[in-house]
Amino acid sequence: HALRMAKSSSKAADKKAAVKAAGAALTRKRDVLKAAEGLDVTSALGMILQKKSIVAVAAEELGDDDRLWISALTETNMRPLCGDVAWLDGGIGKELAREAFVEGSKYLIAHASPTGLAARAANVDPEPNGVPVAFVRYGFELEKDADVPVLRVQTLQVEPDSQRTGLGKLLTLLTEMVGKKANVGGVMVAIARDGHDAAKAFYAATKYVVSDLDSSKTNPWAGEDASPSKGTRGGAVDVFQKTWTDDTAAAIQKAGVALRVKNEKALQTSKTGHGDGDGDLSWTTGRY
């Protein structure tokens, strides 16, 4: 009896210690996230931004002209891909407009000379105080499944006349530099699955890989015609990542495996009739 009591007490102590360690780890991650939110990007990247005429600004600090330009460029680039029905009736246009200026979103905005925009190359210094020609919007978050601090790219847009000049790659590399300066472990980006092959090819060429949290790896329905990952507003997405710390890569991989196991169990439950096959499927496209 005394031995059983000792073992029980030891297990309780181990459990308490594990809970305390997990709490401390979460606190450290939140501290990293808080510091990342407060990062002065202009100071952190210094002359690089100045040389390339790129401005770092928070969404709430944007002027009216910048807001109008961001909205117009987003519609110019995205409406043809989404289609008029989805953009207007499906509400994608309004949703993107709302997301563009939420508190916590941050921007890198590239400027160029008002003349010769089509010929502008990313390695050529533009004239100061030029017109805006490209932007990337991003934010920091604690990735909900892997529980690690990451930078999430929310959108990258380049004026049609300035596309294929290296601006997109430049802004992507600068965004990664921001992430490293902020001490987060990597970058995540979600791209609509249908009609966005060019964007996926771009990120693949920039050394991004399909994330372990992508539905192709966590969703047992992936590839089936009746896949519940096919949404209506915006549809399914493909998730790409680039990590630069082993801890972040391992945490994302572990979370992806756990999601796969969970979702396979849910699939088996639905097939055997012991549950609602249309139950909690929030792990599909909606979270991204």
Side-chain angles (χ1 to χ4, degrees):
H1 179 71
L3 181 59
R4 286 198 301 270
M5 289 289 290
K7 288 183 177 179
S8 177
S9 177
S10 177
K11 288 182 178 179
D14 290 344
K15 183 176 181 180
K16 185 177 180 179
V19 170
K20 185 177 180 179
L26 182 59
T27 297
R28 289 194 296 271
K29 293 172 184 177
R30 288 175 174 168
D31 287 344
V32 170
L33 201 60
K34 184 177 180 180
E37 290 284 359
L39 177 70
D40 185 340
V41 176
T42 300
S43 296
L45 298 189
M47 292 299 295
I48 299 176
L49 296 186
Q50 184 177 346
K51 182 178 180 181
K52 301 298 183 183
S53 282
I54 294 174
V55 175
V57 60
E60 54 268 28
E61 298 170 350
L62 289 166
D64 291 341
D65 288 345
D66 281 333
R67 286 172 175 261
L68 289 172
W69 169 73
I70 287 168
S71 297
L73 178 56
T74 300
E75 181 169 0
T76 295
N77 288 347
M78 298 302 293
R79 184 168 175 172
L81 293 173
C82 299
D84 287 343
V85 173
W87 186 266
L88 297 173
D89 299 339
I92 291 179
K94 290 182 179 179
E95 184 175 347
L96 290 179
R98 177 186 60 80
E99 293 174 349
F101 310 116
V102 296
E103 185 176 356
S105 289
K106 303 177 186 299
Y107 284 82
L108 294 177
I109 302 177
H111 296 76
S113 166
T115 59
L117 293 181
R120 182 189 189 281
N123 61 347
V124 176
D125 294 345
E127 295 178 11
N129 304 317
V131 296
V133 290
F135 72 86
V136 59
R137 173 166 55 89
Y138 66 93
F140 296 103
E141 64 180 55
L142 197 63
E143 208 295 319
K144 61 185 294 185
D145 294 309
D147 207 26
V148 289
V150 297
L151 183 153
R152 185 176 293 277
V153 171
Q154 296 157 347
T155 189
L156 171 63
Q157 303 292 341
V158 181
E159 287 280 4
D161 287 344
S162 294
Q163 292 175 10
R164 300 185 182 280
T165 63
L167 268 175
K169 183 177 181 180
L170 174 64
L171 287 176
T172 298
L173 294 176
L174 289 174
T175 304
E176 293 167 14
M177 290 178 64
V178 171
K180 292 175 181 177
K181 291 286 186 179
N183 293 316
V184 300
V187 176
M188 307 285 287
V189 57
I191 303 170
R193 182 165 299 159
D194 298 327
H196 294 258
D197 292 342
K200 285 179 276 190
F202 167 80
Y203 279 103
T206 320
K207 308 303 181 184
Y208 282 70
V209 298
V210 175
S211 174
D212 290 303
L213 296 174
D214 184 71
S215 63
S216 65
K217 299 184 180 182
T218 66
N219 179 357
W221 284 273
E224 296 184 10
D225 291 338
S227 169
S229 67
K230 294 183 179 179
T232 52
R233 291 187 62 180
V237 297
D238 290 319
V239 184
F240 288 77
Q241 69 181 50
K242 179 185 282 190
T243 58
W244 43 77
T245 68
D246 293 339
D247 288 347
T248 297
I252 291 175
Q253 183 181 40
K254 182 179 179 180
V257 172
L259 277 173
R260 179 76 187 191
V261 171
K262 175 185 175 182
N263 294 331
E264 285 177 342
K265 288 181 178 179
L267 175 60
Q268 290 303 316
T269 299
S270 67
K271 285 184 175 180
T272 56
H274 296 300
D276 181 0
D278 293 323
D280 182 11
L281 297 176
S282 59
W283 48 268
T284 56
T285 61
R287 77 166 64 134
Y288 301 113

